[in-house]
Amino acid sequence: MSERTTPPWADDSQLRDEYAYGQQYSHGDQQQYGHLDDSGQRYAQRESLRQYAQQAQPAHAPDQEQAGGYQPGHFTETGSWRFDVHDRTSSYTDQQAYDTFAPFDPYASYTAVEPEPVAPVVAEPEPRTPGYTLPPVAESSWAVDTRRSKLLGRGVLLCILLVQAGLSLRLTGTAFQDEALYIAAGHYELANLLHGTKLPVDFAAYFSGHPKLYPVLAGAVDSQFGLAGVRVVSLLFMLGATTLLYSLTRRLFNLRAALGAAALFSVLQSTMVLGNFATYDAAAIFLLALSAWAVVRTDRMKALAVLLAAPPAALAFGVKYASGLYLPTLVVLAVITAHRHRGVRALGRGVVLGAGIVALLGIGYHFSGPLGGISSTTTDRAKGTDAAATMLQHSAEWGGLVFLAALGGTIAYVLRARMGEMPWIGGETSGRWRRAALGLLLTGTALLAPAYQIHLHTEISLYKHVGFGLFFAAPLAGLGMARLVGPHFRHPQLGILLYVATLVFGMVQAQRAYSFPDSTQMTAYLRTVVDRKGTYLAEEQEVPAYYLRDRTGWTQWQNSYFMDYRGTDGKQYTGPDAFRQAVRDGKFDAIVMHGNVSPVTYEAVQEGLRNNSLYRLAAVFPYTTSSGEHAYRIWVKR
């Protein structure tokens, strides 16, 4: 290290005195001593010297102070500037600092510091395009198909099904006229299939469904488990329909709408009644539900996959001819559900389904032979006299709340595809026209049965047929219930109110519809007076013919609707006159009447019994229904 000399300007006595004065008042401002030198150059030199002395003072040993050594940055006795510290080296690692202080520091040295190595920048790889596309996810926390949401939905659905089963099983009573007809016919049809036994009558000529479908099933179950067993089969059909409704609604919308649809449908009057009613209505609804589920489930598959919906749809028509009213709905639904994924090509999907259904129906008709019941009970049914206003009122009572919920759900769905509970979830939504078409199709289907029966001016079976259309409207009703509750369950009380109101109305209406005569005492008494040889007149002949089939044949019973009779006087009678003259002639061995089904016939029979010594009133069995108190009256031939 070379020796360095003191800067020349450090020997200036005036500057040295100013520095000493500045050190004494180092904490003052410039005004305290700025008057000593008005020259800018002198002031700059003084400030440089002061900063250098302050920054360059090294750490020194205490013994040097005690020895009286001079500290760096101090003036000597002769007034010169010195750095009198032995073996001192001032090392500067910054080039700028070294250049600034080296002229004043004789011990200054520069030590270069190598910069730390900089990590090389690695280019990020370009993102690869995935080989798959995730399906759109609805903006609802319940709509995300996680394992937890699925378990929660199935648990709630199980509770709904248990409530539905309880509401149906609470309805009790003896066999209704239609139940007795189909089960008894099933026994005869089953004997014909298994043993070739001749049928007593052509049931296909006046049944509203093919007699070798549901009646055969009902007859087989009745042989093992009785009427209660057949009714349990109907309950299973309705529970299956509710389950399929839940599944297809979840596919169309989301989990919350699916639970709402299942909950509302499960407490309808028609659902409760048909769940404990041994007729083919429950089986037909289940088959329509299965077909609708297959249509919705195959919406993203190839067009031929929709043919899976054709067999249950055709079978539903065979089980109950009135189901044909809803086959166009299935075909249009196949187009709408696939339009989102296939565009115009979705029309081919509807054509495939329609052609499949027609082909299966044609094959079935070819092998089944003439089916007169199609025209007599469905297409060319005789018109009645019921007023349109009355039927509209009753239809509103039986399903008005669910229809209004479906209408509200349709409007909300058209205006906004999602509620927006989870805006961070993206996904494709269907267009407004498709949403409007889907809503109008499903909600409008609920109006088909009332409109058709208003056209026929008859209310017969309307309370059951309303349930067919409400099944298709239920998905939109569930969506309407979800929108009523709002995002994040903002207004749960509104959904609860809708469900409870539907439940209360359904329970009251189901109890009223399920109210029919208790035939227990009547059939027990008739068992003591009938045999295989007599002829018997009964106002609801299907009921005693079913219960007493082990003691009588089907043709031994005469109903009270229509009769042709040639009297003992040789004259031909028909209608009420035929019943009047037959009673006068003593044609029947026993007569069972209560006057609520055929009032005109009952009045004619009463006239024939008046002053008639051939009969005696043997028994009177009162019963109570929703329409009041009535009684079975049994006359026996003397």
Side-chain angles (χ1 to χ4, degrees):
M1 180 176 61
S2 62
E3 294 183 357
R4 303 286 298 274
T5 58
T6 306
W9 54 264
D11 292 333
D12 192 321
S13 59
Q14 182 179 0
L15 182 60
R16 183 175 63 248
D17 293 339
E18 289 176 1
Y19 173 77
Y21 184 83
Q23 285 290 97
Q24 181 178 0
Y25 299 97
S26 59
H27 298 291
D29 57 7
Q30 179 181 349
Q31 295 179 353
Q32 291 180 301
Y33 55 92
H35 65 281
L36 297 179
D37 188 8
D38 296 330
S39 173
Q41 182 179 2
R42 302 285 292 177
Y43 176 78
Q45 292 177 349
R46 183 182 68 246
E47 283 296 304
S48 176
L49 180 60
R50 182 178 63 83
Q51 294 176 4
Y52 172 76
Q54 290 178 348
Q55 296 179 7
Q57 288 181 356
H60 56 273
D63 56 346
Q64 290 179 335
E65 292 184 2
Q66 295 174 359
Y70 293 95
Q71 302 300 319
H74 284 233
F75 294 100
T76 63
E77 293 178 356
T78 59
S80 62
W81 181 263
R82 295 185 54 187
F83 289 88
D84 191 13
V85 178
H86 300 286
D87 299 329
R88 178 183 182 276
T89 300
S90 300
S91 178
Y92 295 88
T93 58
D94 182 79
Q95 183 66 43
Q96 183 179 3
Y98 175 79
D99 293 341
T100 302
F101 297 108
F104 312 108
D105 187 355
Y107 306 102
S109 66
Y110 174 72
T111 303
V113 178
E114 295 183 2
E116 296 182 0
V118 179
V121 178
V122 180
E124 297 182 359
E126 296 183 0
R128 296 188 304 172
T129 303
Y132 59 90
T133 302
L134 294 177
V137 181
E139 290 183 3
S140 173
S141 56
W142 282 41
V144 181
D145 282 335
T146 61
R147 186 169 182 267
R148 179 181 180 183
S149 66
K150 289 181 179 179
L151 292 176
L152 179 62
R154 291 169 184 173
V156 177
L157 176 63
L158 179 61
C159 295
I160 292 173
L161 296 178
L162 291 175
V163 172
Q164 177 182 340
L167 292 173
S168 292
L169 293 176
R170 62 184 282 270
L171 303 174
T172 58
T174 55
F176 182 63
Q177 180 181 3
D178 291 345
E179 293 179 297
L181 171 62
Y182 301 138
I183 297 176
H187 284 286
Y188 293 111
E189 292 285 353
L190 192 60
N192 176 261
L193 291 174
L194 297 178
H195 310 292
T197 307
K198 184 180 179 181
L199 294 173
V201 293
D202 183 13
F203 295 109
Y206 66 97
F207 269 25
S208 56
H210 200 287
K212 284 184 170 57
L213 293 177
Y214 176 79
V216 171
L217 172 63
V221 175
D222 182 70
S223 299
Q224 300 295 326
F225 306 101
L227 176 64
V230 185
R231 287 177 171 175
V232 168
V233 171
S234 295
L235 176 62
L236 295 178
F237 279 135
M238 294 307 297
L239 294 177
T242 304
T243 303
L244 292 171
L245 172 64
Y246 162 83
S247 180
L248 71 89
T249 306
R250 186 167 67 92
R251 178 84 171 183
L252 286 174
F253 304 116
N254 54 49
L255 179 60
R256 192 189 300 181
L259 292 175
L264 292 176
F265 179 75
S266 67
V267 296
L268 286 172
Q269 172 261 148
S270 57
T271 304
M272 296 183 197
V273 172
L274 297 181
N276 198 20
F277 206 54
T279 62
Y280 36 50
D281 298 273
I285 288 181
F286 172 78
L287 292 170
L288 288 175
L290 183 59
S291 180
W293 176 85
V295 166
V296 175
R297 188 64 182 83
T298 59
D299 59 346
R300 299 175 186 173
M301 300 181 184
K302 295 182 179 180
L304 292 179
V306 78
L307 287 176
L308 294 173
L315 192 59
F317 178 82
V319 168
K320 184 179 177 66
Y321 302 139
S323 301
L325 197 63
Y326 306 97
L327 297 184
T329 298
L330 295 174
V331 174
V332 178
L333 182 63
V335 176
I336 294 177
T337 53
H339 182 269
R340 176 178 175 182
H341 311 287
R342 299 181 177 273
V344 180
R345 292 180 299 169
L347 294 174
R349 192 167 181 260
V351 173
V352 169
L353 178 58
I357 294 175
V358 171
L360 291 175
L361 291 178
I363 294 173
Y365 183 80
H366 174 74
F367 287 100
S368 63
L371 299 174
I374 295 179
S375 59
S376 63
T377 64
T378 307
T379 58
D380 296 329
R381 188 167 186 167
K383 293 187 177 182
T385 58
D386 296 323
T390 302
M391 286 185 280
L392 284 176
Q393 177 185 349
H394 290 169
S395 298
E397 292 176 358
W398 295 328
L401 284 176
V402 174
F403 178 78
L404 289 178
L407 188 61
T410 299
I411 296 174
Y413 186 53
V414 172
L415 294 178
R416 188 176 184 183
R418 299 172 178 169
M419 277 195 295
E421 283 187 306
M422 301 172 67
W424 57 89
I425 294 182
E428 181 186 359
T429 59
S430 56
R432 177 165 294 183
W433 285 109
R434 176 187 174 275
R435 301 199 303 269
L438 180 63
L440 291 176
L441 173 69
L442 297 180
T443 304
T445 302
L447 302 176
L448 292 180
Y452 182 68
Q453 297 208 212
I454 288 174
H455 168 70
L456 295 177
H457 300 285
T458 179
E459 201 177 35
I460 297 175
S461 299
L462 179 60
Y463 75 98
K464 297 185 296 182
H465 295 165
V466 165
F468 284 71
L470 291 176
F471 171 85
F472 288 94
L476 270 302
L479 183 65
M481 185 178 185
R483 296 294 177 91
L484 193 64
V485 172
H488 306 292
F489 293 89
R490 184 174 300 170
H491 306 293
Q493 67 277 10
L494 298 180
I496 295 173
L497 178 62
L498 176 60
Y499 174 77
V500 172
T502 307
L503 170 64
V504 172
F505 282 121
M507 292 178 64
V508 174
Q509 295 159 359
Q511 190 65 51
R512 185 181 305 168
Y514 209 81
S515 179
F516 36 82
D518 185 353
S519 60
T520 304
Q521 293 179 315
M522 180 268 290
T523 54
Y525 180 80
L526 286 178
R527 184 172 291 277
T528 62
V529 299
V530 299
D531 54 31
R532 292 284 180 179
K533 300 177 181 180
T535 301
Y536 311 104
L537 171 64
E539 196 164 3
E540 294 171 322
Q541 56 93 10
E542 297 88 352
V543 175
Y546 162 67
Y547 281 113
L548 304 174
R549 65 185 181 277
D550 59 329
R551 297 183 62 85
T552 61
W554 185 264
T555 56
Q556 292 181 252
W557 295 90
Q558 171 64 50
N559 61 43
S560 58
Y561 298 113
F562 182 80
M563 180 181 178
D564 284 328
Y565 174 70
R566 180 176 294 275
T568 56
D569 56 1
K571 295 182 180 180
Q572 186 70 31
Y573 297 93
T574 186
D577 295 334
F579 289 102
R580 184 185 301 107
Q581 189 61 39
V583 172
R584 288 175 177 173
D585 293 343
K587 174 178 175 59
F588 306 111
D589 295 286
I591 301 173
V592 182
M593 301 287 289
H594 55 70
N596 294 322
V597 176
S598 305
V600 177
T601 301
Y602 181 71
E603 182 178 352
V605 170
Q606 291 279 50
E607 292 177 2
L609 291 171
R610 189 175 297 117
N611 300 322
N612 191 335
S613 60
L614 298 177
Y615 294 94
R616 63 180 178 88
L617 181 62
V620 177
F621 299 108
Y623 64 87
T624 303
T625 64
S626 58
S627 60
E629 295 184 358
H630 309 278
Y632 280 109
R633 289 176 172 82
I634 301 177
W635 290 269
V636 179
K637 192 174 181 180
R638 297 179 187 272

